[in-house]
Amino acid sequence: MQTVNIGFIGLGTVGCGAIALLRQNRELIERRAGCRLAVRKIAVRHPDKPRPIAVDPALLTSDVREVLEDPHVHIVVEVMGGIDPARQFVMEAIQRGKSVVTCNKELMAKHGSEILDLAKAKGVDVNFEGSVGGGIPIIQPLKQQLVGNRIRRITGIVNGTTNYILTKMTRERRELADVLREAQALGYAEADPTADVDGYDAMYKLCILAAIAFGSRVRVEDVYREGIGGVHARDIEYAQELGYTIKLLAIAQEDDDRLIELRVHPALLPNAHPLAAVSDVFNAIVVEGDGVGRVMFYGRGAGASPTGSAVVGDIVEIARNLCYNAT
C-alpha cells in the first residue's frame, strides 16, 4: 500500500484535533483513503511546549524549512493562521509541487485567487473545507453535489462566538459587554474579540462561500460589514415582542443580471425561520439553488474535533488524488 506523507505547519487547537483523529481512526481512514497516511514532520514555534496530545519529539521542529523542503512530504497542512508568514509558506509549498490543506479563512478570503491559480499551474490540490463552518461540510457540497444548480442565495450564521453572545443576551436579558466577558472566560471568545464581534470573521467566510457559489473573484472590500456592537438587550426584547430573533447573518445573493450582493450584519429573523433556532456556538448555512431548492447545513462551527474532522477529510481527498488520480 502506498504511503502519503504529511507535514504540518502549526500545532494549535485544529492541528491537535486533526492528528488526534488520524490516530483514533487510523485503520478506518486508511481503508477509505486506499493508502497509508503518515505524519512526517510538524513545524512549531516551541517544540517543548505542553500540548493536549502526545507527540513524538522526533516529529517536531522549529524550522519550517524542514517541512517545505522535504521531498518526501506530499501534503502540507497549514494550521498556523494569519496572513504572514502563512501565505509565503503556502505559496512555497505549492511552488515545490506539494498539495496544501488549510482552514485559514482570512488567507483564503484575501489571497485565495492567487493561491488557487498557482495550484492549478503547478498541478496540485488546495483544499480548505475547514475555513468555513468548522466541521460542517459546505465547501465540497458547493463544488460538487450542488454544481448543477444556479445558486441564488446563501444565508448563514457562521460565527459561533457572536451566536453564543446573542443567544445568552436573548435568554437572560443581559448586555453584550457582560456576556462577552463570560464568553472570554469560557474560551468561546478571544482576548481581542474584534474579529468576531465586529463581523470580520463572518465576512471572510462569506467571501469564500460566494466565490465558490457564484464563480466570482470576491474582494473583502466589497462586502458590507456590521458587527453586533450596536445590539442591546432592549433591541432583542423589542424584536421578541414582534415575533423575531436577532442573529448576525452572512448573506450572499445573485440577481438575474448576475450582480452579487454581499453583506454581514445583525438581522431580524422570524421565529419560524430555521436559522432562528440555531443557538449557542452552533453554525448553520442555508443554500438556495434553482434545482435543489433550499437546503441547510448545521453543526459545530469551530473547535478541535469538528475543524480537525474537516482537515482530515481534505487530507484523505488529496491522498486519493495522489495515489489514484481520483479527480
Side-chain angles (χ1 to χ4, degrees), residues 1-7 22 26 29-31 33-41 59 70-75 98 315-316 318-324:
M1 184 182 290
Q2 188 172 343
T3 297
V4 172
N5 293 313
I6 307 160
L22 285 169
R26 181 178 61 83
I29 291 169
E30 291 184 348
R31 184 166 68 249
C35 58
R36 293 188 183 90
L37 299 174
V39 177
R40 183 173 173 88
K41 191 62 67 175
L59 295 177
D70 186 340
H72 300 291
V73 169
H74 305 108
I75 302 173
K98 303 179 190 301
I315 290 171
V316 169
I318 292 174
R320 287 187 186 132
N321 294 344
L322 290 171
C323 294
Y324 304 106

Side-chain angles (χ1 to χ4, degrees), residues 104-133:
N104 192 328
K105 52 191 169 288
E106 184 178 6
L107 177 65
M108 293 307 297
K110 293 181 176 179
H111 301 285
S113 294
E114 62 180 304
I115 289 170
L116 295 174
D117 285 347
L118 181 61
K120 182 177 180 180
K122 293 295 181 179
V124 299
D125 293 319
V126 174
N127 284 7
F128 47 99
E129 184 66 62
S131 64
V132 180

